[in-house]
Structure formats: C-alpha cells, structure tokens
C-alpha cells in the first residue's frame, strides 16, 4: 500500500514539474516579446524626440 502512495505522489510531482516547465517556457517567450516591445517604444520615443528638435 505504501508503494502505491509513493508512486502516486511521484506521479503528481512529475505532472507538476511538467506544468512548471511549460510555464517557464511561456514566461521566457513573454520576456522576449516584452523586450521587443520595449525596444520598439524606445525607438519611437527617439524618433519623436528627433522630430521635435527639427521643428
């Protein structure tokens, strides 16, 4: 009986580990996308500032 409980706990832990791995991958992708957005906004801000200087 104890082996069944141990196996059940281990199986749950494996599922949790897999879920955490999926969450980490999604978070990594979101981090890349956020960095791209930040770079784009920074570029737009720089362009806007240079346009204001020419006026």
């Amino acid at each position: 009986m104890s082996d069944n409980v141990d196996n059940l706990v281990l199986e749950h832990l494996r599922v949790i580990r897999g879920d955490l791995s999926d969450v980490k991958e999604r978070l990594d992708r979101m981090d890349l996308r956020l960095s791209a957005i930040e770079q784009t906004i920074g570029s737009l801000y720089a362009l806007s500032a240079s346009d204001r200087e020419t006026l």
Side-chain angles (χ1 to χ4, degrees):
M1 181 69 175
S2 178
D3 288 340
N4 289 339
V5 172
D6 291 343
N7 290 337
L8 183 60
V9 170
L10 290 174
E11 183 59 31
H12 282 285
L13 290 173
R14 285 186 192 101
V15 171
I16 291 169
R17 183 181 291 179
D19 288 345
L20 285 176
S21 178
D22 293 343
V23 169
K24 182 185 180 305
E25 288 175 20
R26 290 186 67 195
L27 188 56
D28 288 343
R29 287 194 309 265
M30 289 172 59
D31 188 38
L32 288 174
R33 292 175 66 189
L34 180 58
S35 294
I37 291 169
E38 289 171 338
Q39 289 176 353
T40 301
I41 290 172
S43 297
L44 291 173
Y45 181 76
L47 286 172
S48 173
S50 67
D51 284 347
R52 281 184 267 147
E53 290 176 2
T54 60
L55 293 177

